[in-house]
Structures are given as structure tokens and as C-alpha cells.
Amino acid sequence: NRVRLNGAYFHALDKGRVASILVADPTSPQGSSTQATNLGEAKIDGAELEISAAVAEGLTASLSYSYINARFTSSDAPQTTAFGIAGPGNCASITNIGLARVCITNTNGNMLDFSNKHTFTGTVNYVTALTSKWDLTAELDFQARSHRFIDGTNLFALPGYVNFDAKLGVQNDSYRILLYVNNLFNEI
């Protein structure tokens, strides 16, 4: 039986965050297009911890946890919709981006979009001889993620979730035949 423990701490400054925003565009058939714009600076601090083990003959398991604190530190986010402007309630200035007039809102201290603070993952894998040439393999994976905001205003969030996936199959040195089931319990 073997156990391995890995850990990491990280700190990053992102001084050139870029995002695409939707702007009115009379030359586009849809009436709008996306425009790349600078969002300012962000700070990302986090830590990860992973433990994996060979539990028994053919049986391995791993578990990991990640914490990420990703926040805007000096950021002005352009808003082009009425709700995007009214929601933050802090239209600092009006400017042109492409052909659109946009409201610049302050997002300092807000979480970065699509950045969840907590993530847990785990895997249990079992491999055993089925015949002299083929092995049976089975695996169960899970991941749990906390909520994450869809933009820098932090007005709307996607909920956290837990998801399980499974694999069952046979394999040899040349071939692998697997049955995958994603989202095993149909929870997300």
C-alpha cells in the first residue's frame, strides 16, 4: 500500500484581464457583435491538496480539494444592458466601445466570473484480471463545485453541484472497451 500527498499554494496577479462584451452593431445581421475590452486587474490566491493511495491489489483512490480566492482588484467593467447598469448601481462614467455607448461600473472586490471558491474531486478505480489476456476495469469519479458568478458584477450565479461519472470495461495491452456513464444520478 502506497500513499501520496501533494499540496500547492499559488498567488497570481493578472494585470491584463480581457473580456468580450456584446455591443450594438448596425453592420451585423444580428444587430450586435462582440468587442474585446480590458477589464483591469485581478488577484488570484489559492491552495490545492491531493491525496492518492494504492488501497489494495488493483484498487486505487484519490481525493483532492481546491480553494481559490479570485477577485477583481482594480477593475472597471463595461455594461451594455439596462440591467447590467442598474444592477451594480454604480455607473462611474459613460464611454464608447466600438459603436456602442457603455456604462463603466466598478467591480473591485467582486469574484472573477466562472471562478468557484471550492472544488472537491475524487476517484476510485479497480482493475482485476478477467482472463489471461483481458482485465476488467471499473471507475467511479465525482466532483463537487461551489457556486460561481457568470460575470464581474456578481449579480447572477450558477449554483454549486455534485456530479458522479462511472466507467466499466475490459482492456488489454492493445485495446480498451469502456462503457461511460456521465452524470450518473442526473443531478445537474
Side-chain angles (χ1 to χ4, degrees):
N1 295 354
R2 294 181 312 241
V3 176
R4 182 177 58 205
L5 181 66
N6 293 316
Y9 167 79
F10 51 90
H11 171 78
L13 293 175
D14 186 347
K15 295 186 176 192
R17 294 219 29 105
V18 176
S20 295
I21 63 166
L22 193 62
V23 295
D25 183 357
T27 64
S28 169
Q30 294 83 16
S32 63
S33 61
T34 57
Q35 176 80 36
T37 187
N38 191 325
L39 293 182
E41 297 179 5
K43 181 176 81 166
I44 304 164
D45 292 305
E48 298 176 347
L49 185 63
E50 176 191 29
I51 186 167
S52 58
V55 179
E57 182 69 32
L59 181 64
T60 59
S62 66
L63 186 64
S64 68
Y65 170 73
S66 297
Y67 170 81
I68 299 176
N69 185 11
R71 300 210 171 267
F72 288 105
T73 56
S74 176
S75 176
D76 294 321
Q79 302 296 325
T80 58
T81 65
F83 193 80
I85 295 166
N90 63 359
C91 187
S93 65
I94 306 278
T95 190
N96 290 327
I97 295 181
L99 300 174
R101 304 250 323 138
V102 298
C103 173
I104 303 300
T105 59
N106 184 301
T107 56
N108 292 348
N110 288 3
M111 288 179 61
L112 296 186
D113 44 329
F114 297 102
S115 175
N116 50 292
K117 275 194 173 201
H118 306 280
T119 303
F120 289 95
T121 62
T123 299
V124 176
N125 182 276
Y126 182 68
V127 178
T128 188
L130 192 60
T131 68
S132 62
K133 294 186 178 187
W134 287 92
D135 291 336
L136 174 69
T137 181
E139 184 172 295
L140 181 65
D141 303 310
F142 86 91
Q143 62 176 317
R145 297 183 183 273
S146 61
H147 76 279
R148 60 237 179 264
F149 293 101
I150 63 170
D151 68 9
T153 64
N154 288 186
L155 294 175
F156 299 104
L158 297 172
Y161 65 89
V162 176
N163 180 57
F164 288 86
D165 300 323
K167 296 180 225 175
L168 181 65
V170 292
Q171 63 188 24
N172 65 21
D173 292 338
S174 301
Y175 300 100
R176 179 181 293 172
I177 303 167
L178 293 173
L179 170 66
Y180 286 91
V181 179
N182 291 325
N183 195 12
L184 186 63
F185 302 114
N186 198 26
E187 293 293 320
I188 56 174

